[in-house]
Amino acid sequence: MLGIENLPKLAGPFLKTERKGPAAMIQQRVVMPSWTEHEEIKELQKSYSRNKVRTTKYTFLSFIPKNLFEQLHRFANLYFIFLAALNFVPIVNAFQPEISIIPIVFVMSITAVKDLWEDQRRRKSDQKVNNRLCDQKRYVERRWAEVCVGDLVRLCCNEIIPADMVLLHSSDPNGVCHIETANLDGETNLKQRQVGSEFVPENYSSHIECENPNNDLRRFRGFMEHPGKVRVGLHSENLLLRSCTVRNTETVIGIVVYAGHETKAMQNNSGPRYKRSKLERRLNMDVLWCVILLLLMCLIAAVGHGFWLSGLQNPIYMIPDDTHPALAAFYMFWTMIIVLQVLIPISLYVSIEIVKLGQIYFIQNDLDLYNPVLDTGVQCRALNITEDLGQIQFLFSDKTGTLTENRMLFRRCTVAGTEYPHHENAISLEQYEDQGCGDADHSLTLRSRTSRKSLSCKSLSCNRSSVSLNTLTAESDTHSVHDTLRRHTPGAFSGTMECAVVPDPQLQAKLNTLSSAMRSPPRQQAAEISHILDFFLALTVCNTVVVSSPTQPRHVVQMPVVRTPLRSLEEMKAMFQKLSLTPVTPALSSGAWSEDVDDIQKAKVNSADESESDDEDEAEELLYEAESPDEAALVQAAKAYGCTLLGRSPEQVLVVVPGTGPLSIPLLHVLPFHSARKRMSVVVRHPLTGEVVVYTKGADNVIMELAEAEVMERTQRNLDQYAREGLRTLCVAKKVLEEQEYEAWLKRHEYAETSIENREELLLESAERLETNLTLLGATGIVDRLQEEVPETIEALQEAGIKVWVLTGDKQETAINIAFACKLLRPTDHILMANCDSKETCEARLHELQHEIRQVTKEGVSEDDSSDCVLVIDGRTLDYTLQKELQGSFLELTCCCRSVICCRSTPLQKSQVVRLVRDKLKVMTLAIGDGANDVSMIQMADVGIGISGQEGMQAVMSSDFAISRFKFLRKLILVHGHWCYTRLANMILYFFYKNVMYVNLLFWYQFFCGFSGSTMTNSWVLIFFNLLFTSVPPIIYGVLDKDVSGETLLDLPDLYKSGQNSQAYLPSTFWMNILDAFYQSLVCFFIPYFAYTGSDIGVFSFGSPINGSALLIILLHQLIESRTTWIHTAILLFSALFYYAFVLLFSLTCVTCNSPTNPLGIETKMMSDPLYYLVCGLTTVLALLPRYYTLEQSQKMERLSAQDYSMSLRQWKENKAAQRLSSRHVPQNLSVNADMPHLTDCIAEAGAVLS
């Protein structure tokens, strides 16, 4: 594939710092062709990255040192390594030094194995990528890893691009290549790339100068300099990115400019996401408390040891020692640190990681969260914040594609001030919804009333099925719906749902006059028809839709062969006269235009014998692949009226126009959509008049400010009506340019296109200069229906105490009506409107709204009912409130509201709102969205959730969790979130409890051994007690325990509030567990002490019933707290049997393994004494009695029978509903109307708007 065989492989990259212009000091990369003879290039080539990529963290040699270095960053690991080393110091050691290193070696080994397993998965993925092969023939076939900058690469259709390359040649005659970026951003719609400068490989001697590697996927700046010093500007449309797939083109050739880790794809690969959960931050604080407790206990022991030594008078049982008591106390302090080291739970951090992996496994395999249509479940991309799902207090949601389907259906339109309601189309959409659209059990084909058969669309590719979700029909003869959907990657917008547009009879009749007998309509009607024709022409050509069909596979799409019977040139001229449009002579006499007409006439002759039904089949089988669902819906709507898009190339668009048949429209420029402009435009030469025309479509508030027309007032009324119906609105306008005006603009635009520095800014300025003084043509209303179960999900989340905010770019009226539809707004809510034009007005309005809320409260509404206010704020006002001076007032107002709806908000504003609420209110936030405009909001929130919907995978790739439908959020948060939080919180508390409980046994013993650091158990049991005997049950508990059933959590969302308030892990809860551990340790130590007082048993014999009792207490303590399953019981039983098997075997075989003492036969002797069992039983019962009594009172409801439980639950809900209804004040007027069919109940209800 790489390097032409008859040319030496000599070239590569080098740095060049000398540049002309303002950026002279910026280093730029210069790429030379591979056959250039240059010694300096040969030397510098070695210093640049090859195309081999490595995402692994370790190599064979670096694994041990690097993994150790990473693990030593944990304080707990450093702490235990220090204690293990300290135990090797003879003067302070507590037991055998070799035993002391077992815990830290065990824990670090488990962590290392886990890291090695994860790294091995990455290594296999790297090998698969690096060993991919490329093209052959005259090109040498090479592995990806051998590619380097400066190499020429040839790719065929459906091959993946191995490195970032500048496109130099395409087999397409127009120099176009289409790529699919699904591997990069998840979008499956085709994106067009243009050849920067055509070349012949053997004669190519130009060089490329471009910017240094960066992670901006949408920007590339540089130029190609030919030998004659002629420069051609390069930009993102000339760059083929690594990991994308070549489509629509047989062969492309490019020169590599970035390879390996310097490619934009790898620059954006920041590795796995890491966030610290709220529970983890709390855990770190409690570990510090344990450290303080440990130091306090060691200090007490050290002081006690010093006083004990001071009180001795030459005892005969001690070896004479000249060590001063104070110094001995100092040594004893460090000895006690070693003895009591298990107070710090060394295995806790590893256990937490294991538990989180288990929790993620069960979340990802929950069938209730599985979408059979897309064959996807929940994706957990952040592995360490599962418990944060159970503590969410604020939820920030996008609207389009998140709450709604983002499958746009054309509903109605207004043209030239006349509104066309499309009643039959509305009925058709209602029938479609009644059939359960999108359901896998129903046909995905919607039959149009004007079509005799279903609108079936398919998409073919050369080596794979690339079927868009919306193009499938149940009548597929190759695959079933389920099979095809299983291979679908969402992102391309096209298909049958948008196809089924039923034309409005009145509008259809007006367009039919174009194809009627040759009689001129009245001049006024002719002008209106001209507007209508321009309106549909704009819908047809003002887009970036790619056209393909089953007869033209996706990799060889060409301009279609015209088969429709066409009018003659004389008939076309007659139609111009009917519309009182005078054709421009130069345009009609130009060579290109004449050739097009000749082709059309030839096509007419060749297609005369074709049947009309075949023509309909051809038209209906067209597949439109658009970058947004709006574009697909509008193109399909234009098609329903006879304005059909047949094909597209960089120079022309082929369309069918009513009354003329196919026309080739010269495409002069495309000014793509930009978030700052909120519109897109195309510059064409009008097919009827030959004039240069600008067609623009965009957001209504932007177009209405730029347009000039007499019909603006009527159009605005129609737009307001559309918004009240919850429709998405879009305005369409045009501008006719004089030739001199166009030429002047063209010169400045070409300068912007060829600029290297500030190219984006210059292009934006050029587009804005052109898009002025527009003539308004009309507007469209598009339906974007709610996803299923969205109202129920939002209602449940609000009952759970979560404040739901909607951040959308839509109009206020649209957002309000969607909010009513999804039950975010209730008929009894007070709507607070904030629309301000200045900062001072905004400040006054915020104070006014706060005063109105207080007035409403004084008029009899309960304090709790102030949350029934909902704030609706527009983007301009939001800008003012985000300024530092007004942030406090804004947050104070929002705290009094049950919800907030931010309209006309930008992506930056979304992230700023999330950050403001998160940082100022110190709350746990969750953001959910489905598009690239939601990425900043998702990344800013504590928990980010992406929806794998219709706008690609950018949101998913930036998220912590990914779901396919909004309704899944209900169970994910209310059930899995609650479980993950309570499980982990209780497990952490249990770890602290059991460690403190066991360590206290050793501490109490110090009062009876002169604080000498001795223990009443052998060192092996001491080390393994927390490491092995009691470590597995809490892990199982953390993964499987269910304090409340999933059904109960869904029925009672109020239970979620316990997680919001951190009730499972409060500081008081932590200290109660510590006190309980102290109590149990006192019982566990002193009952055996008093039972064996006066006997002649040894130290280890005294410790045997204490260890046995401690084990039973700790295991049964967890059994009491957990909802017992057979797995819990089996693990607890296994832990007990494992302990007794170990100590019995140890007692039978160990002679010198616990030097200097000998535990041989101790356990067997003690366990043969009935007193042992009496002591263990009595100790266990007394120690657990308070805990059992407390939990017995709090778990009464869970132990009810199914029938009693259901009755109690129903009664509780009825009482709560009655209280809410009785305390709610119902206002008497509602000024916001909701006319959508499913909102009729809302209209009849009362409400209030504080405006």
Side-chain angles (χ1 to χ4, degrees):
M1 158 192 173
L2 308 169
I4 300 177
E5 287 180 335
N6 61 342
L7 298 172
K9 186 176 186 298
L10 299 174
F14 66 88
L15 285 178
K16 181 176 179 181
T17 56
E18 295 182 3
R19 293 196 59 220
K20 297 179 181 180
M25 301 306 295
I26 301 177
Q27 278 193 338
Q28 298 289 328
R29 165 168 296 193
V30 177
V31 180
M32 304 291 290
S34 299
W35 53 86
T36 299
E37 295 285 351
H38 201 294
E39 292 297 327
E40 184 180 0
I41 294 176
K42 295 179 181 179
E43 296 297 327
L44 292 175
Q45 182 179 6
K46 301 177 182 178
S47 64
Y48 278 83
S49 172
R50 299 182 69 85
N51 204 40
K52 182 178 181 180
V53 297
R54 184 171 71 88
T55 60
T56 58
K57 295 169 62 177
Y58 311 108
T59 63
F60 178 78
L61 296 178
S62 68
F63 172 70
I64 293 179
K66 192 171 183 178
N67 188 262
L68 282 175
F69 177 77
E70 290 177 349
Q71 292 202 52
L72 291 178
H73 279 72
R74 287 184 174 176
F75 168 77
N77 290 342
L78 285 175
Y79 166 76
F80 279 96
I81 289 175
F82 168 73
L83 293 185
L86 191 65
N87 200 49
F88 279 86
V89 179
I91 198 169
V92 297
N93 72 334
F95 37 79
Q96 288 174 271
E98 296 82 6
I99 300 177
S100 65
I101 66 174
I102 292 177
I104 187 62
V105 170
F106 178 78
V107 170
M108 294 183 69
S109 298
I110 292 179
T111 305
V113 169
K114 178 184 71 70
D115 293 341
L116 182 62
W117 175 72
E118 292 177 351
D119 206 58
Q120 189 63 24
R121 293 176 62 192
R122 289 191 288 265
R123 179 174 287 103
K124 290 181 179 179
S125 176
D126 291 345
Q127 290 176 348
K128 183 178 179 180
V129 170
N130 290 327
N131 290 329
R132 283 176 176 164
L133 299 176
C134 305
D135 205 6
Q136 61 288 337
K137 296 183 179 179
R138 295 187 62 201
Y139 286 77
V140 179
E141 186 175 279
R142 297 282 177 84
R143 296 187 304 117
W144 277 26
E146 299 173 356
V147 178
C148 63
V149 175
D151 284 340
L152 267 67
V153 180
R154 186 174 71 177
L155 298 169
C156 297
C157 173
N158 286 349
E159 287 190 344
I160 300 176
I161 301 168
D164 291 353
M165 310 186 307
V166 169
L167 181 61
L168 298 178
H169 172 76
S170 171
S171 60
D172 186 277
N174 298 304
V176 171
C177 165
H178 286 88
I179 62 173
E180 182 183 276
T181 59
N183 292 336
L184 200 61
D185 57 17
E187 296 184 1
T188 58
N189 58 285
L190 300 182
K191 294 178 175 60
Q192 184 173 290
R193 295 293 180 263
Q194 183 74 41
V195 170
S197 180
E198 278 287 351
F199 81 109
V200 178
E202 291 78 0
N203 300 329
Y204 181 74
S205 57
S206 305
H207 77 268
I208 294 173
E209 185 172 345
C210 59
E211 59 190 359
N212 278 334
N214 58 74
N215 62 356
D216 192 340
L217 295 173
R218 292 171 175 79
R219 190 189 75 175
F220 175 70
R221 293 186 290 191
F223 62 86
M224 181 184 298
E225 186 172 301
H226 299 300
K229 300 299 181 181
V230 177
R231 290 185 175 183
V232 177
L234 300 174
H235 41 84
S236 58
E237 285 75 18
N238 308 124
L239 187 66
L240 305 180
L241 296 177
R242 177 190 173 101
S243 299
C244 297
T245 305
V246 176
R247 304 284 185 211
N248 204 2
T249 314
E250 291 291 351
T251 305
V252 298
I253 299 175
I255 184 169
V256 176
V257 290
Y258 307 125
H261 289 275
E262 294 176 342
T263 59
K264 292 182 180 291
M266 295 303 297
Q267 293 274 322
N268 278 275
N269 184 7
S270 58
R273 297 174 55 79
Y274 182 82
K275 290 183 179 181
R276 290 182 61 196
S277 67
K278 183 178 180 181
L279 193 63
E280 185 180 344
R281 295 192 293 268
R282 178 68 211 174
L283 166 64
N284 292 335
M285 179 61 66
D286 289 338
V287 168
L288 292 178
W289 280 116
C290 286
V291 171
I292 294 173
L293 185 61
L294 173 66
L295 296 177
L296 180 61
M297 295 169 69
C298 293
L299 182 62
I300 292 174
V303 173
H305 184 64
F307 280 110
W308 184 75
L309 288 179
S310 300
L312 292 178
Q313 299 296 329
N314 298 322
I316 60 174
Y317 52 83
M318 288 187 64
I319 300 175
D321 190 359
D322 296 334
T323 305
H324 191 274
L327 183 58
F330 174 76
Y331 292 150
M332 185 51 59
F333 176 84
W334 295 107
T335 300
M336 291 302 299
I337 288 283
I338 298 173
V339 172
L340 306 180
Q341 61 177 296
V342 291
L343 184 63
I344 309 299
I346 182 175
S347 58
L348 175 58
Y349 291 97
V350 175
S351 300
I352 289 175
E353 291 186 7
I354 296 173
V355 165
K356 287 183 178 181
L357 288 176
Q359 291 176 345
I360 288 171
Y361 172 81
F362 284 106
I363 292 175
Q364 293 186 149
N365 288 275
D366 188 344
L367 292 179
D368 291 337
L369 304 181
Y370 171 73
N371 188 337
V373 177
L374 298 180
D375 189 24
T376 59
V378 177
Q379 301 176 37
C380 299
R381 300 173 56 83
L383 306 181
N384 54 328
I385 59 170
T386 54
E387 65 273 22
D388 279 350
L389 287 172
Q391 299 180 278
I392 303 301
Q393 295 165 287
F394 278 74
L395 186 147
F396 300 90
S397 174
D398 178 40
K399 183 186 76 66
T400 304
T402 303
L403 302 178
T404 62
E405 291 280 6
N406 201 17
R407 294 178 185 172
M408 309 304 180
L409 310 176
F410 180 85
R411 172 61 183 84
R412 59 201 300 179
C413 66
T414 173
V415 185
T418 303
E419 209 275 325
Y420 301 97
H422 289 73
H423 293 304
E424 291 190 6
N425 191 48
I427 297 173
S428 176
L429 294 180
E430 290 178 11
Q431 291 178 349
Y432 174 66
E433 291 189 8
D434 292 340
Q435 293 173 0
C437 56
D439 194 334
D441 297 332
H442 295 274
S443 169
L444 294 181
T445 301
L446 176 62
R447 298 176 185 271
S448 171
R449 294 182 175 213
T450 61
S451 178
R452 293 171 299 185
K453 61 182 180 60
S454 63
L455 301 171
S456 173
C457 305
K458 296 180 182 177
S459 173
L460 304 178
S461 62
C462 29
N463 292 325
R464 74 176 186 98
S465 175
S466 177
V467 185
S468 180
L469 173 63
N470 300 346
T471 67
L472 302 173
T473 64
E475 295 90 340
S476 175
D477 56 353
T478 307
H479 306 286
S480 69
V481 173
H482 297 280
D483 290 340
T484 313
L485 287 172
R486 213 168 272 126
R487 290 184 294 274
H488 165 66
T489 303
F493 304 104
S494 57
T496 60
M497 280 186 281
E498 294 86 346
C499 290
V501 176
V502 182
D504 184 86
Q506 182 184 1
L507 185 57
Q508 183 76 63
K510 292 180 180 179
L511 270 178
N512 287 341
T513 59
L514 294 176
S515 54
S516 62
M518 293 300 165
R519 55 183 181 82
S520 299
R523 185 172 185 85
Q524 183 178 359
Q525 185 179 357
E528 183 183 10
I529 295 175
S530 174
H531 270 81
I532 293 173
L533 185 59
D534 273 324
F535 176 80
F536 284 110
L537 269 179
L539 297 186
T540 307
V541 303
C542 190
N543 52 65
T544 56
V545 171
V546 176
V547 186
S548 60
S549 70
T551 58
Q552 297 179 8
R554 199 172 182 184
H555 65 299
V556 288
V557 175
Q558 300 173 355
M559 292 295 287
V561 177
V562 179
R563 300 174 54 196
T564 307
L566 304 176
R567 294 177 177 273
S568 65
L569 182 60
E570 291 73 16
E571 291 174 324
M572 294 168 60
K573 290 181 178 179
M575 188 190 71
F576 301 158
Q577 296 172 358
K578 287 169 59 179
L579 298 179
S580 302
L581 300 174
T582 304
V584 178
T585 304
L588 288 175
S589 61
S590 64
W593 180 264
S594 300
E595 290 176 5
D596 290 336
V597 173
D598 291 341
D599 292 341
I600 292 173
Q601 295 296 335
K602 292 178 182 178
K604 176 181 176 181
V605 174
N606 294 335
S607 61
D609 57 344
E610 297 291 339
S611 66
E612 183 178 351
S613 61
D614 291 339
D615 297 331
E616 292 179 1
D617 293 347
E618 180 75 15
E620 288 180 345
E621 289 178 344
L622 289 176
L623 174 67
Y624 297 140
E625 297 189 69
E627 294 187 12
S628 71
D630 300 79
E631 284 193 344
L634 295 178
V635 171
Q636 299 288 4
K639 179 182 174 184
Y641 283 95
C643 291
T644 305
L645 177 63
L646 296 180
R648 177 184 298 276
S649 74
E651 290 81 19
Q652 62 180 348
V653 180
L654 189 64
V655 300
V656 173
V657 178
T660 66
L663 290 176
S664 177
I665 302 178
L667 184 61
L668 305 180
H669 303 280
V670 176
L671 307 179
F673 177 85
H674 193 280
S675 58
R677 290 166 41 235
K678 294 185 178 180
R679 58 190 180 272
M680 79 161 292
S681 298
V682 294
V683 184
V684 301
R685 192 167 292 279
H686 199 284
L688 304 182
T689 66
E691 297 173 317
V692 177
V693 181
V694 181
Y695 288 117
T696 302
K697 69 175 183 182
D700 56 285
N701 62 323
V702 175
I703 300 297
M704 296 296 277
E705 292 178 358
L706 301 174
E708 297 177 353
E710 299 177 357
V711 297
M712 287 186 63
E713 185 176 348
R714 283 179 289 167
T715 303
Q716 185 61 57
R717 286 199 300 269
N718 295 329
L719 286 171
D720 295 339
Q721 175 67 19
Y722 294 172
R724 285 193 293 270
E725 294 181 5
L727 302 180
R728 290 171 58 87
T729 55
L730 203 69
C731 282
V732 181
K734 79 166 188 176
K735 177 181 181 180
V736 180
L737 295 176
E738 298 292 338
E739 290 293 334
Q740 298 83 355
E741 183 183 3
Y742 171 66
E743 293 296 334
W745 174 83
L746 181 60
K747 290 181 181 179
R748 301 185 68 175
H749 187 71
E750 287 179 342
Y751 171 77
E753 285 185 324
T754 56
S755 295
I756 299 174
E757 301 296 333
N758 302 320
R759 181 176 181 273
E760 291 79 8
E761 293 79 2
L762 291 174
L763 286 175
L764 180 62
E765 180 184 345
S766 176
E768 291 177 340
R769 190 183 310 113
L770 185 67
E771 297 164 334
T772 56
N773 302 320
L774 302 174
T775 300
L776 183 65
L777 295 174
T780 61
I782 298 177
V783 174
D784 184 13
R785 70 185 187 89
L786 283 178
Q787 294 183 21
E788 69 277 10
E789 298 183 32
V790 166
E792 294 81 0
T793 301
I794 289 182
E795 190 174 28
L797 294 176
Q798 289 183 326
E799 286 184 23
I802 299 175
K803 286 196 172 185
V804 181
W805 289 28
V806 173
L807 311 178
T808 178
D810 281 341
K811 290 169 65 72
Q812 278 191 351
E813 294 83 355
T814 303
I816 289 174
N817 281 274
I818 293 295
F820 271 113
C822 65
K823 294 187 178 180
L824 182 66
L825 275 172
R826 299 181 299 216
T828 54
D829 285 338
H830 300 276
I831 302 178
L832 312 176
M833 306 292 290
N835 302 314
C836 305
D837 296 325
S838 66
K839 183 178 178 180
E840 294 73 18
T841 308
C842 177
E843 184 176 8
R845 182 60 180 159
L846 293 178
H847 291 300
E848 180 183 346
L849 292 177
Q850 292 175 14
H851 176 70
E852 290 182 3
I853 291 178
R854 288 191 292 268
Q855 288 295 114
V856 170
T857 305
K858 291 179 180 178
E859 291 174 2
V861 182
S862 65
E863 185 68 26
D864 184 54
D865 225 14
S866 63
S867 62
D868 283 345
C869 295
V870 176
L871 175 65
V872 180
I873 184 172
D874 68 348
R876 183 179 300 176
T877 309
L878 192 60
D879 261 337
Y880 301 135
T881 59
L882 291 174
Q883 296 179 18
K884 190 173 182 179
E885 298 81 3
L886 298 183
Q887 288 179 359
S889 300
F890 174 64
L891 289 177
E892 184 180 350
L893 176 63
T894 58
C895 287
C896 300
C897 299
R898 185 171 55 86
S899 182
V900 176
I901 301 173
C902 300
C903 309
R904 298 295 192 190
S905 54
T906 64
L908 179 60
Q909 287 178 329
K910 292 182 179 182
S911 63
Q912 289 176 336
V913 168
V914 174
R915 180 171 58 185
L916 176 66
V917 174
R918 184 198 65 189
D919 295 343
K920 296 295 184 180
L921 298 182
K922 306 298 181 184
V923 292
M924 186 66 66
T925 58
L926 181 147
I928 179 171
D930 73 316
N933 60 332
D934 303 315
V935 168
S936 56
M937 172 180 72
I938 289 173
Q939 293 178 331
M940 188 62 65
D942 295 295
V943 179
I945 296 185
I947 291 186
S948 50
Q950 299 289 310
E951 292 191 22
M953 300 290 284
Q954 299 99 318
V956 169
M957 296 169 70
S958 304
S959 65
D960 303 310
F961 300 89
I963 57 179
S964 58
R965 308 294 284 176
F966 185 83
K967 66 178 181 179
F968 295 147
L969 199 61
R970 182 182 181 185
K971 186 172 185 181
L972 181 64
I973 292 179
L974 300 185
V975 178
H976 287 290
H978 175 86
W979 281 346
C980 288
Y981 168 71
T982 54
R983 288 167 176 171
L984 209 57
N986 290 332
M987 189 199 77
I988 292 172
L989 291 172
Y990 179 78
F991 259 95
F992 283 126
Y993 147 77
K994 73 184 184 70
N995 284 23
V996 172
M997 188 269 185
Y998 190 72
V999 163
N1000 276 337
L1001 298 176
L1002 307 178
F1003 181 67
W1004 304 136
Y1005 182 69
Q1006 302 307 309
F1007 288 89
F1008 301 91
C1009 68
F1011 299 98
S1012 61
S1014 301
T1015 60
M1016 68 286 189
T1017 183
N1018 67 76
S1019 54
W1020 289 93
V1021 173
L1022 180 65
I1023 292 297
F1024 287 160
F1025 192 89
N1026 279 305
L1027 191 64
L1028 295 179
F1029 303 145
T1030 60
S1031 60
V1032 178
I1035 293 177
I1036 302 300
Y1037 174 78
V1039 174
L1040 299 178
D1041 186 64
K1042 298 179 181 179
D1043 62 325
V1044 184
S1045 66
E1047 294 77 10
T1048 304
L1049 290 171
L1050 291 175
D1051 290 339
L1052 293 176
D1054 295 76
L1055 296 176
Y1056 183 81
K1057 295 178 181 178
S1058 63
Q1060 292 176 327
N1061 301 325
S1062 302
Q1063 291 180 4
Y1065 196 168
L1066 294 168
S1068 59
T1069 312
F1070 170 77
W1071 289 112
M1072 285 299 296
N1073 275 271
I1074 298 300
L1075 291 176
D1076 192 25
F1078 269 87
Y1079 163 76
Q1080 292 184 9
S1081 66
L1082 286 170
V1083 173
C1084 188
F1085 181 84
F1086 284 101
I1087 288 182
Y1089 174 79
F1090 290 117
Y1092 289 99
T1093 299
S1095 65
D1096 59 351
I1097 63 173
V1099 174
F1100 285 175
S1101 298
F1102 170 64
S1104 177
I1106 293 179
N1107 283 331
S1109 300
L1111 180 77
L1112 293 175
I1113 292 169
I1114 289 173
L1115 294 181
L1116 292 177
H1117 179 102
Q1118 186 180 89
L1119 192 65
I1120 292 173
E1121 288 199 331
S1122 64
R1123 303 306 179 269
T1124 308
T1125 65
W1126 68 268
I1127 299 179
H1128 283 94
T1129 306
I1131 292 297
L1132 293 172
L1133 187 61
F1134 170 79
S1135 297
L1137 293 177
F1138 180 40
Y1139 166 78
Y1140 280 107
F1142 177 85
V1143 296
L1144 285 173
L1145 184 63
F1146 192 82
S1147 176
L1148 292 171
T1149 60
C1150 182
V1151 178
T1152 60
C1153 55
N1154 198 64
S1155 177
T1157 58
N1158 184 4
L1160 185 66
I1162 291 177
E1163 292 294 336
T1164 54
K1165 179 182 178 181
M1166 291 301 299
M1167 293 179 66
S1168 63
D1169 184 3
L1171 182 60
Y1172 174 88
Y1173 301 99
L1174 178 62
V1175 169
C1176 290
L1178 181 62
T1179 302
T1180 302
V1181 171
L1182 290 178
L1184 294 176
L1185 202 57
R1187 171 70 61 170
Y1188 178 78
Y1189 177 78
T1190 303
L1191 293 176
E1192 177 72 18
Q1193 299 299 316
S1194 62
Q1195 296 175 2
K1196 284 183 177 180
M1197 188 173 179
E1198 287 295 318
R1199 279 189 284 273
L1200 293 175
S1201 64
Q1203 184 177 1
D1204 293 339
Y1205 179 83
S1206 299
M1207 290 181 61
S1208 301
L1209 182 62
R1210 192 182 309 112
Q1211 184 178 0
W1212 184 88
K1213 282 187 171 182
E1214 290 175 355
N1215 293 339
K1216 183 178 179 183
Q1219 292 175 2
R1220 183 182 300 167
L1221 187 62
S1222 62
S1223 63
R1224 180 166 296 151
H1225 171 71
V1226 181
Q1228 298 303 314
N1229 64 310
L1230 176 66
S1231 64
V1232 175
N1233 198 2
D1235 296 328
M1236 297 177 70
H1238 50 284
L1239 294 179
T1240 52
D1241 294 337
C1242 298
I1243 303 172
E1245 296 288 346
V1249 177
L1250 303 178
S1251 55

